């Protein structure tokens, strides 16, 4: 078992790979679903010496199986959003303090001390259901900010507009975290010229609007809020860590998280930097579930470890692996 202190003190690639391989062996031995998946791929655990040799569990398993690496009772169960009748993912978290340490350290790595910000959250589709890991994180960041003005907004746009203008004009550092469609709704009601506010979109139209390419979306948001760049958060129910983009859609991972880009035609092989493929995530904070997840997102990775998210697979695009359902 990897200790928290080792996990969150990773400072180079050699350390990352050593802990990733140790985590892989631990999860193979303790996670029955992952073990069965690896066995179906005829994985020789003793011969796995590199990150590329580790099997990545398709993210759909969180919809159909209980993906855990211990026998402890879950302290939290995070669920994905979905339309009526859709099967949603469940992430059973047996140590919620590990999630808290991961997102607190991750936020600090990219933005510094949370107490320097008023945190405003415009996340209506997440607030309207239970089990959102994003709401859990943002609620905690709001509390940690120690700012009485920090808080959630649902559909009370006029109140949020007044608060944003007031705080920004006072020179207060603000982070407005919003689901994409709600941010667009807001700037349709009021155009801003913000000087001290970070706009962070968490992605997703949630069926409320037509999907847009990132360049068009960020152009509209920049114009509407009067800012030079839009920040983004890349996370999901099945992960305990987040990557952040400080602009231009280029994401960077915290030191205990990395991505690999798999071939869209062969899910068990990888492609070179700068080419489009499927995003595989290594999240070492996912110690008690599965740290090696093949997502349904398409992206590109660059030589410095940063990456872009370009869209999602549809079912017809998923090829090269007939082990999606065990």
């Amino acid at each position: 078992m990897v200790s928290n202190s080792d996990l969150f003190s990773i400072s180079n690639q050699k350390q990352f790979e050593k802990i990733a391989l140790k985590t892989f062996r631990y999860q193979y031995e303790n996670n029955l679903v992952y073990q069965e998946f690896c066995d179906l791929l005829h994985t020789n655990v003793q011969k796995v010496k590199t990150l590329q040799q580790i099997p990545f569990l398709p993210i759909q398993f969180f919809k159909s199986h209980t993906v855990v690496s211990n026998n402890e009772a879950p302290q939290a169960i995070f669920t994905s959003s979905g339309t009526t009748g859709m099967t949603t993912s469940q992430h059973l978290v047996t140590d919620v303090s590990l999630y808290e340490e991961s997102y607190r350290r991750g936020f600090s790595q990219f933005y510094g001390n949370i107490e320097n910000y008023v945190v405003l959250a415009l996340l209506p589709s997440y607030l309207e259901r239970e089990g959102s890991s994003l709401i859990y994180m943002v609620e905690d960041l709001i509390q940690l900010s120690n700012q009485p003005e920090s808080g959630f907004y649902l559909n009370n746009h006029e109140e949020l507009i007044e608060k944003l203008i007031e705080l920004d004009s006072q020179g207060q550092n603000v982070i407005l975290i919003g689901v994409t469609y709600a941010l667009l709704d807001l700037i349709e009601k009021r155009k801003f010229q913000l000087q001290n506010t970070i706009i962070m979109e968490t992605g997703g139209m949630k069926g409320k609007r037509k999907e847009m390419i990132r360049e068009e979306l960020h152009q509209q948001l920049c114009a509407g809020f009067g800012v030079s760049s839009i920040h983004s958060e890349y996370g999901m129910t099945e992960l305990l860590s987040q990557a952040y983009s400080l602009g231009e859609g280029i994401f960077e991972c915290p030191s205990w998280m990395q991505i690999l880009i798999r071939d869209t035609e062969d899910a068990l092989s990888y492609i070179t930097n700068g080419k489009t493929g499927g995003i595989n995530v290594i999240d070492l904070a996912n110690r008690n579930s599965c740290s090696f997840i093949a997502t349904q997102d398409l992206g590109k990775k660059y030589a410095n470890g940063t990456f872009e998210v370009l869209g999602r697979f549809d079912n017809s695009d998923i090829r090269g692996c007939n082990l999606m359902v065990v």
Side-chain angles (χ1 to χ4, degrees):
M1 172 73 83
V2 176
S3 70
N4 286 18
S5 59
D6 286 343
L7 172 62
F8 294 116
S9 62
I10 292 173
S11 61
N12 58 57
Q13 185 63 18
K14 187 176 179 180
Q15 280 183 323
F16 183 92
E17 292 184 10
K18 180 180 178 181
I19 291 177
L21 290 166
K22 187 174 181 180
T23 300
F24 161 66
R25 289 188 287 272
Y26 171 80
Q27 291 182 341
Y28 176 82
E29 291 169 5
N30 293 278
N31 185 325
L32 295 180
V33 171
Y34 186 54
Q35 184 181 93
E36 186 176 358
F37 177 72
C38 292
D39 289 348
L40 281 168
L41 291 174
H42 305 294
T43 305
N44 185 332
V45 175
Q46 301 307 315
K47 290 186 177 180
V48 173
K49 304 294 184 184
T50 68
L51 301 183
Q52 289 77 9
Q53 292 172 321
I54 295 173
F56 282 74
L57 189 73
I59 200 166
Q60 298 95 309
F61 275 67
F62 284 83
K63 293 183 177 182
S64 57
H65 294 73
T66 301
V67 183
V68 292
S69 292
N70 58 40
N71 296 318
E72 297 173 23
Q75 296 178 356
I77 299 177
F78 294 131
T79 57
S80 62
S81 56
T83 56
T84 304
M86 181 185 291
T87 304
T88 57
S89 292
Q90 280 202 335
H91 189 180
L92 277 61
V93 180
T94 58
D95 182 3
V96 79
S97 69
L98 188 56
Y99 179 45
E100 292 169 349
E101 186 165 5
S102 177
Y103 66 66
R104 289 171 183 174
R105 285 179 177 270
F107 181 91
S108 176
Q109 181 174 327
F110 294 102
Y111 294 99
N113 190 341
I114 185 64
E115 294 187 5
N116 293 334
Y117 300 93
V118 169
V119 180
L120 305 178
L122 184 60
L123 300 165
S125 54
Y126 293 91
L127 274 177
E128 291 162 353
R129 66 178 183 85
E130 292 187 2
S132 166
S133 58
L134 178 63
I135 292 296
Y136 188 101
M137 177 181 80
V138 173
E139 190 167 34
D140 188 50
L141 293 176
I142 285 171
Q143 295 296 321
L144 291 171
S145 74
N146 285 325
Q147 301 276 4
E149 295 91 350
S150 292
F152 284 99
Y153 291 81
L154 193 55
N155 297 309
N156 45 339
H157 288 169
E158 295 304 324
E159 186 181 342
L160 175 56
I161 288 167
E162 288 181 20
K163 181 63 69 176
L164 260 179
I165 293 171
E166 175 191 348
L167 292 170
D168 192 82
S169 64
Q170 291 171 355
Q172 172 66 54
N173 293 324
V174 177
I175 294 182
L176 173 61
I177 302 176
V179 63
T180 304
Y181 78 84
L183 293 174
L184 290 169
D185 289 347
L186 191 66
I187 58 174
E188 283 183 356
K189 295 189 175 180
R190 177 66 181 260
K191 293 291 188 287
F192 300 85
Q193 285 297 322
L194 300 173
Q195 304 293 319
N196 303 291
T197 300
I198 292 170
I199 307 298
M200 183 186 294
E201 56 100 1
T202 65
M205 293 299 189
K206 307 299 179 187
K208 307 281 187 179
R209 285 173 175 260
K210 181 172 68 72
E211 293 292 337
M212 301 165 61
I213 62 170
R214 178 187 57 78
E215 288 83 1
E216 181 186 1
L217 169 65
H218 283 203
Q219 191 175 32
Q220 284 192 26
L221 292 175
C222 282
F225 285 106
V227 296
S228 59
S229 63
I230 300 298
H231 293 217
S232 304
E233 179 255 6
Y234 180 75
M236 55 192 73
T237 299
E238 300 84 358
L239 302 179
L240 293 186
S241 302
Q242 302 76 32
Y244 289 99
S245 167
L246 307 190
E248 305 302 322
I250 303 297
F251 288 91
E252 187 175 347
C253 294
S255 58
W256 54 93
M257 175 185 179
Q258 288 186 15
I259 70 153
L260 301 174
I261 303 295
R262 69 182 185 271
D263 191 322
T264 56
E265 297 294 327
D266 177 5
L268 303 179
S269 64
Y270 294 93
I271 59 176
T272 55
N273 290 334
K275 293 188 176 181
T276 300
I279 294 178
N280 284 2
V281 177
I282 303 174
D283 179 7
L284 297 179
N286 255 15
R287 185 173 62 207
N288 298 317
S289 55
C290 184
S291 290
F292 311 98
I293 297 174
T295 76
Q296 290 182 298
D297 293 326
L298 290 165
K300 289 181 183 178
K301 184 179 179 181
Y302 298 103
N304 62 359
T306 61
F307 67 100
E308 285 186 82
V309 182
L310 301 174
R312 290 177 67 80
F313 286 93
D314 61 36
N315 288 332
S316 64
D317 286 331
I318 299 173
R319 301 183 181 89
C321 184
N322 60 1
L323 298 171
M324 288 298 179
V325 179
V326 171

